[in-house]
Amino acid sequence: GEKERGTIATLLVTPMKRSHLAIGKIISLSAIAILSGLSSFLGMMLSMPKMMGDVEGMSADIYKMTDYIMVLLVVLSTVLVIITLVSIISAFARNVKEATGWVTPVMIISMLLGVTSMIPSLCMTEPAWFLIPLYNSVQSLNGIFSMNLDVVNIAVTVVANVCYAGIGVFVLAKMFDNEKVMFSK
């Protein structure tokens, strides 16, 4: 939207590093997305007793506080990856319509990755598989909720997601330094 309105040019000529501008954009977008992620987390945790109350012999008490903390870490780290990815795609786009068109396939892929938790042959348990963004989050949450969690895989997921977000911020900062990317018509 800032490219369409021309306000990005004003921001880019201000006396600040473009990397600081990129980080500021990621932080502001992440703040809202993290609030959304916290809302999703609370919704999951508060609905757990009701969902499990209908299954005989099952109770939400089977989950410990560490399980809830791991779910929260996975959700928040995943939010950072998605925000960074969408920001990079949006920086390439010339307008909002184009950005929406480019983000749509990414969202379709993320939904398809969500289905992998329902197909046992696609549920890998080796830590190397947990380096794949978005897939790692789906499999980590699946492991936590099915009580088949591996702390190493959860740790690999969270660390990998934070690293990918950091790399994404670096890439976005470099994109902000490139006039051809920022002012493409």
Side-chain angles (χ1 to χ4, degrees):
E2 289 179 339
K3 279 186 174 182
E4 274 183 283
R5 292 186 303 273
T7 55
I8 193 73
T10 305
L11 287 171
L12 292 173
V13 296
T14 58
M16 79 166 103
K17 292 183 179 179
R18 291 184 178 189
S19 60
H20 292 168
L21 178 62
I23 291 169
K25 289 203 167 293
I26 294 289
I27 289 172
S28 64
L29 291 170
S30 295
I32 300 298
I34 285 174
L35 288 175
S36 176
L38 287 172
S39 173
S40 297
F41 169 75
L42 285 174
M44 272 192 289
M45 296 308 107
L46 294 175
S47 64
M48 194 71 74
K50 178 68 177 157
M51 290 188 311
M52 298 186 87
D54 295 339
V55 179
E56 190 172 318
M58 295 281 301
S59 167
D61 296 339
I62 61 172
Y63 296 111
K64 301 176 191 98
M65 182 56 79
T66 54
D67 296 325
Y68 291 122
I69 291 170
M70 285 189 269
V71 168
L72 181 63
L73 290 173
V74 170
V75 167
L76 294 181
S77 67
T78 304
V79 164
L80 293 175
V81 169
I82 292 170
I83 287 297
T84 305
L85 185 60
V86 169
S87 297
I88 289 170
I89 291 169
S90 296
F92 273 116
R94 290 183 293 258
N95 54 46
V96 173
K97 184 177 179 182
E98 190 174 282
T100 304
W102 288 356
V103 168
T104 301
V106 173
M107 292 302 134
I108 291 170
I109 290 168
S110 68
M111 285 187 275
L112 291 174
L113 287 172
V115 175
T116 63
S117 67
M118 295 181 238
I119 304 168
S121 63
L122 296 178
C123 297
M124 306 301 178
T125 58
E126 293 82 26
W129 287 98
F130 288 78
L131 293 171
I132 302 171
L134 302 178
Y135 173 83
N136 60 6
S137 301
V138 169
Q139 296 307 319
S140 292
L141 291 174
N142 186 35
I144 294 168
F145 289 131
S146 65
M147 303 301 289
N148 293 326
L149 84 117
D150 183 351
V151 177
V152 171
N153 291 343
I154 304 294
V156 169
T157 295
V158 171
V159 169
N161 285 348
V162 169
C163 288
Y164 294 139
I167 291 167
V169 169
F170 177 78
V171 168
L172 188 63
K174 290 298 178 188
M175 290 173 67
F176 275 32
D177 284 336
N178 188 334
E179 302 288 328
K180 289 180 183 176
V181 171
M182 296 313 297
F183 298 110
S184 61
K185 292 284 180 188

